[in-house]
Amino acid sequence: QERLVESGGGSVQSGGSLELSCYSTWVASSVCMGWFRQAPGKEREGVAGIDGYGRTSYAESVKGRFTISRDKTKNTLNLTMNSLNSEDTAMYYCAVGSSRYCTSGTLNSRTYANWGQGTQVSVSS
């Protein structure tokens, strides 16, 4: 009954940076994991994902700004976010799949069966 616990959210000004972390012992298993976000009035969207081989995928809107990584020494899935802008304001959720393969795609919610409770990111100008 592992649970995913996100942290690191907060309020920053445009151009700022944040690092989100998702704590779970599942990090050590090298299963497919990802970060999703949902803004008010919008559907949940995939932001970044990493498969069991370390291959990463990013939404076009965050490429070059966000980096997803595993830290197995700390049991965390991290999302480093740079050059934040207002479009990044959302609740961010970490998610874990059932294998090292992201079978429906790393940015597809169908790949994931386990979700954290979310951490809020707010970007102001």
Side-chain angles (χ1 to χ4, degrees):
Q1 51 182 7
E2 284 284 340
R3 295 247 242 173
L4 306 177
V5 181
E6 301 100 331
S7 63
S11 298
V12 297
Q13 293 188 343
S14 294
S17 299
L18 286 172
E19 183 171 76
L20 307 183
S21 295
C22 174
Y23 178 87
S24 174
T25 56
W26 285 333
V27 171
S29 68
S30 294
V31 296
C32 181
M33 303 185 75
W35 284 96
F36 289 72
R37 66 187 181 189
Q38 187 167 20
K42 299 181 180 179
E43 293 187 342
R44 184 172 55 189
E45 64 174 339
V47 175
I50 183 168
D51 69 12
Y53 299 94
R55 297 177 297 190
T56 58
S57 298
Y58 298 93
E60 187 67 28
S61 60
V62 308
K63 284 182 179 178
R65 300 189 297 119
F66 290 11
T67 302
I68 187 171
S69 62
R70 287 187 178 94
D71 187 339
K72 295 185 177 181
T73 67
K74 299 179 180 178
N75 289 325
T76 57
L77 175 74
N78 300 320
L79 184 68
T80 301
M81 305 184 294
N82 297 314
S83 300
L84 288 163
N85 56 59
S86 60
E87 287 74 29
D88 299 316
T89 295
M91 283 288 292
Y92 283 71
Y93 303 87
C94 63
V96 178
S98 58
S99 77
R100 66 192 303 125
Y101 302 102
C102 304
T103 54
S104 296
T106 54
L107 305 183
N108 192 320
S109 62
R110 293 181 297 171
T111 296
Y112 305 96
N114 304 284
W115 298 82
Q117 79 288 337
T119 185
Q120 178 69 41
V121 171
S122 299
V123 185
S124 63
S125 59

